[in-house]
Each structure stands twice: as C-alpha cells, then as structure tokens.
Amino acid sequence: MENITKVWLGPLPADSPYVKPNRMYYVQNGVEKNWDLLKVHDSVAIVLFNTTQQKLVLVRQFRPAVYHGVITSELGSFDKADLQAFPPSIGVTLELCAGIVDKSKSWVEIAREEVLEECGYDVPVERIEQVMVYRSGVGASGAKQAMYYCEVTDADKVNSGGGVEDEIIEVVELSLEEANRMVQKGAVNNSPPSCLMGLMWFFANRAPKSV
C-alpha cells in the first residue's frame, strides 16, 4: 500500500470523470457574488459490524488528497514534497467501506457491491439498512452521501476483499474499544467525518449495551 516511489502534481484534465471544477455566480441581497466549487460523484458509506467477532469492519487505504493536504498544511505548497520527509503513511486513512454512485443501480445495491468488493462479505440488500443522508464537502462540492448499516457474520465472508482492478485496500477489524477511542475528546484521526459520524451513530444506536 505504501510502496510509493514518486509523487508530483499536474493540471486537471478537462475530461476528468471524477472532478469538474466550476465558478458559480449568484446575486444575494442585491450583491453579485461567486463561489468556486467542484462537481463530484455522490456516494455511499456503510457501517459494518461483524457480530461473530464483535468487531467493526473498516478499510485502510492511501488517499492522495490526504497526503497532499498534510504536506500543504505544513509547507504551504506541494512543490517540495519529499518522500523521505513525508512518507506515504501520512496519507493512509481509516474509513468506512464506501464507494461512488456511478452506476445505473439503486444506492443500496451499490452499497452491497462495495461491501463485497472492499470487505469480502456477500449479503443481500434486505440486510442493509439506510441510516441517514447528508451533504459532504459543503464548502467545495456539496455532494450527497447516504450512510448504511449492515451486520455481517463470519459465514458471510466469501473472499478477502481489497477492492477491484487497481485498488489497494486493506480490511481492518477494530474491537469496540479501539473504535470507541477514535471518537473520544482529543482523538486525532486520518479519517473522514463520515467515518467518525458513523462510529458515533453505531455507539449511540447499535453497540452492545456493555460498551
């Protein structure tokens, strides 16, 4: 996962299938304003709980945007990115199983596919419960994301997961104590808000009462 030997930036191609930058103009209270924004895909995220192991199932992967963000936060730019000073591990995140909505299928069917492809559990859509729908990246994209909850067992495991094609994804099983520490005061995580919100929802609504 962290076997990255070279990093650099280039211009965004106009035909990018993932990101479309725009400047939106509008008039508010008689004043003309503008806002730079991005059109990105909507997405799904799934809180997975293995009831056999009593563990939450998350995924670990290298996120170029996080790597870029860590470096630019510290240096102010990406021009002097150095793999020795800034190892790829700083761009590795711990997240919910998730994926973009880029197929002509229902959102819950896409969620089911992501659970199978990323984490290796084969479950019917009837066992996947919608938790909430919200907007992510409200200052940049405002994309829609639906969060789901699914309980799985060891019997549902049909492969090791890890993603498809050239994805490099590691399945991580966290004890409830380990996951709970991620959402305590003072915690520092390389995790997106959706993951932390999903964990907090789980502990408030589905976690065994002993936790």
Side-chain angles (χ1 to χ4, degrees), residues 3-197:
N3 184 24
I4 295 167
T5 57
K6 186 178 179 181
V7 294
W8 68 97
L9 290 180
L12 179 69
D15 62 349
S16 169
Y18 303 109
V19 179
K20 301 292 185 186
N22 289 283
R23 174 166 290 181
M24 176 179 160
Y25 297 87
Y26 59 104
V27 176
Q28 185 178 36
N29 290 341
V31 179
E32 183 175 310
K33 300 180 179 180
N34 64 75
W35 194 271
D36 294 338
L37 51 83
L38 301 171
K39 169 58 182 172
V40 301
H41 286 288
D42 295 330
S43 60
V44 298
I46 308 96
V47 180
L48 275 179
F49 181 51
N50 184 319
T51 57
T52 307
Q53 302 294 329
Q54 290 291 290
K55 290 185 176 181
L56 284 155
V57 183
L58 279 70
V59 295
R60 184 175 178 266
Q61 57 188 314
F62 175 75
R63 290 292 197 181
V66 172
Y67 184 74
H68 177 271
V70 171
I71 293 176
T72 54
S73 292
E74 184 163 334
L75 299 181
S77 75
F78 199 73
D79 298 338
K80 297 181 180 179
D82 180 272
L83 288 168
Q84 295 299 316
F86 297 97
S89 58
I90 65 174
V92 173
T93 62
L94 194 57
E95 310 177 26
L96 297 179
C97 172
I100 60 175
V101 177
D102 61 348
K103 305 167 186 171
S104 56
K105 295 183 177 182
S106 70
W107 285 44
V108 70
E109 288 174 320
I110 292 175
R112 177 191 175 278
E113 283 189 355
E114 295 298 337
V115 170
L116 176 60
E117 293 171 359
E118 291 194 357
C119 299
Y121 293 96
D122 190 2
V123 295
V125 293
E126 290 78 17
R127 283 170 52 190
I128 302 176
E129 168 191 356
Q130 182 172 297
V131 173
M132 65 181 87
V133 178
Y134 46 89
R135 295 286 167 174
S136 62
V138 294
S141 70
K144 180 180 177 181
Q145 184 170 76
M147 181 183 292
Y148 296 88
Y149 175 68
C150 181
E151 293 185 352
V152 296
T153 68
D154 285 352
D156 298 318
K157 189 84 169 179
V158 295
N159 60 58
S160 60
V164 295
E165 298 177 354
D166 62 348
E167 290 182 316
I168 301 176
I169 295 173
E170 177 187 344
V171 180
V172 178
E173 294 185 346
L174 293 183
S175 69
L176 299 184
E177 292 75 16
E178 290 171 322
N180 199 22
R181 285 198 292 269
M182 292 177 63
V183 293
Q184 297 306 305
K185 181 179 179 180
V188 178
N189 303 287
N190 253 20
S191 298
S194 60
C195 176
L196 304 177
M197 181 168 65

